[in-house]
Amino acid sequence: MPQKVLLYCDPGIDDSLAIIYALLNPEIDLVGIVTSYGNVDQEQATQNVAYLLDLANKQDVILIGGAKTPLSGEFTPYYPEIHGEEGLGPIKPPATIKGELLNFDAIFNVIEEYGEELVIVDIGRSTSLAISFNLGGEKTMNTVKGFYLMGGAILTPGNVTAGAEANFYGDPIAAGIVMDKAERGVLYPLNVTNEAIITPEMIDQIMVEENNPFQALIKEIFDYYFEAYQKLVPGIEGSPLHDVLTLYAVTTPQAFKYVEKVVSVGLNDGHLRGVSMADFRPKPDEEGNKLTIALEMDYPSFTEDFVKIMSSSISNLT
Ligand code: BDR
Ligand code: CA
């Protein structure tokens, strides 16, 4: 049976590739998508998701309107230089496709319907998931099988500041709430997602035969993202697909090595904003909500799977 997934996201190029990966993967059953601000604003994120679903003829996947700002209410910058003005690199989704949003509480109907058959995957800012804990309560939220969370950088450099990763930096209050409250939470921080490098050669392999409606789009948005990463990290051989790796982990958790730790997130507006911290000192069992944190991964297995899924036939789309 494919794994049922409720996805929180902010597409964004790597989010979009993650959605395409999920739609093409026969082991994933995407039952709903919560669209929020992050890489672009919430309206644009919704339009981008609606466009991808339309290409796949999967308009039956429900869309739920998520957060428009962080919990603090402040404005956070988008990153057009990495994701493009509209979030899909050079692609502008047709204005005719808007996407119909259900109200936020539809999240709790999905959780009630699927319970422990469902995993929640969050590849965006943590705001909407934190609000879900606030409105739905921990008991309801923790009836799901688990949470797969892309965020943080554990004792390793950040990507928006020296120490902070973009999802946690975007809303550190929300990230802290999720770290405290999500039971059976598995964290995929930059420690592993920065290693999830997809190269132009792998994209060329995906392009060899035209099998699904996404391939041309995959190449265009990847090329844009790769160009941006080459400026950020001179000499890099490809681009890290942070969000795709997190979806891959849903079907292949055994490809990672994990530790279990409590994770805290820096809240102040200085150097520590959004910085994630876990305590690696040898000491007796620590108090608090422990996350399972992925710190190493099997890179060849990820890239092989990525090329296979992204070049798979339309027949996987039911
Ligand atoms: C994360 O930040 C976002 O901009 C990406 O989509 C990814 O979810 C990486 O730090
Ligand atoms: Ca994202």
Side-chain angles (χ1 to χ4, degrees), residues 44-78:
Q44 187 65 56
T46 305
Q47 199 189 355
N48 292 348
V49 174
Y51 175 52
L52 297 175
L53 293 178
D54 190 76
L55 283 176
N57 207 13
K58 285 285 259 178
Q59 295 89 344
D60 57 323
V61 177
I62 60 167
L63 295 184
I64 301 168
K68 296 188 175 185
T69 68
L71 292 181
S72 62
E74 72 203 327
F75 172 78
T76 43
Y78 306 132

Side-chain angles (χ1 to χ4, degrees), residues 10-15 38-39 79 82-83 122-125 150-152 159-160 165-168 190 193 225 229 242-243:
D10 61 334
I13 288 182
D14 59 333
D15 298 76
N39 291 320
Y79 299 100
I82 299 177
H83 296 276
D122 190 349
I123 54 175
R125 313 300 185 245
M150 192 282 126
N159 57 1
V160 281
E165 178 279 331
N167 286 339
F168 280 19
L190 293 181
T193 68
Y225 191 62
Y229 259 97
H242 310 275
D243 295 342

Side-chain angles (χ1 to χ4, degrees), residues 34-317:
V34 182
T35 58
S36 305
Y37 81 94
N39 291 320
V40 289
D41 67 33
Q42 192 253 3
E43 288 78 10
Q44 187 65 56
T46 305
Q47 199 189 355
N48 292 348
V49 174
Y51 175 52
L52 297 175
L53 293 178
D54 190 76
L55 283 176
N57 207 13
K58 285 285 259 178
Q59 295 89 344
D60 57 323
V61 177
I62 60 167
L63 295 184
I64 301 168
K68 296 188 175 185
T69 68
L71 292 181
S72 62
E74 72 203 327
F75 172 78
T76 43
Y78 306 132
Y79 299 100
E81 65 283 11
I82 299 177
H83 296 276
E85 285 299 332
E86 277 88 13
L88 290 176
I91 311 270
K92 295 191 193 321
T96 45
I97 300 177
K98 288 275 179 245
E100 233 175 84
L101 285 178
L102 299 180
N103 284 335
F104 197 79
D105 61 0
I107 288 171
F108 309 119
N109 298 339
V110 173
I111 291 173
E112 195 182 320
E113 181 171 353
Y114 299 112
E116 58 186 24
E117 287 174 31
L118 182 73
V119 298
I120 288 182
V121 180
D122 190 349
I123 54 175
R125 313 300 185 245
S126 311
T127 320
S128 297
L129 189 52
I131 295 172
S132 307
F133 274 97
N134 182 316
L135 290 179
E138 285 171 58
K139 194 156 166 249
T140 300
M141 292 304 292
N142 284 324
T143 54
V144 302
K145 186 172 166 190
F147 299 86
Y148 288 73
L149 309 164
M150 192 282 126
I154 308 290
L155 303 183
T156 197
N159 57 1
V160 281
T161 67
E165 178 279 331
N167 286 339
F168 280 19
Y169 184 85
D171 191 342
I173 303 172
I177 291 172
V178 172
M179 294 301 102
D180 282 349
K181 296 191 187 298
E183 291 172 12
R184 296 173 300 287
V186 193
L187 188 64
Y188 295 87
L190 293 181
N191 305 60
V192 282
T193 68
N194 261 342
E195 306 299 316
I197 299 279
I198 294 299
T199 64
E201 293 71 30
M202 293 168 192
I203 298 295
D204 288 345
Q205 286 176 47
I206 291 170
M207 298 298 290
V208 169
E209 269 186 61
E210 202 184 321
N211 284 327
N212 67 59
F214 293 118
Q215 279 154 296
L217 179 86
I218 292 170
K219 179 159 173 54
E220 275 198 72
I221 63 177
F222 174 84
D223 286 350
Y224 187 97
Y225 191 62
F226 181 40
E227 208 173 297
Y229 259 97
Q230 282 173 304
K231 286 182 201 141
L232 286 174
V233 189
I236 196 167
E237 288 177 0
S239 320
L241 298 189
H242 310 275
D243 295 342
V244 179
L245 187 74
T246 310
L247 265 302
Y248 163 73
V250 171
T251 62
T252 322
Q254 70 278 11
F256 297 82
K257 284 192 183 148
Y258 302 93
V259 294
E260 293 205 347
K261 301 270 172 208
V262 174
V263 175
S264 58
V265 183
L267 294 182
N268 78 357
D269 252 344
H271 292 311
L272 292 180
R273 177 190 163 123
V275 172
S276 48
M277 184 55 75
D279 191 346
F280 283 79
R281 291 173 298 174
K283 57 182 217 173
D285 212 22
E286 55 180 344
E287 295 274 305
N289 182 49
K290 281 198 187 152
L291 279 288
T292 301
I293 309 168
L295 289 181
E296 286 176 47
M297 67 139 167
D298 179 347
Y299 176 66
S301 139
F302 166 65
T303 57
E304 194 186 313
D305 177 81
F306 178 79
V307 171
K308 185 181 101 197
I309 297 293
M310 297 306 249
S311 46
S312 66
S313 145
I314 184 76
S315 64
N316 283 334
L317 294 173

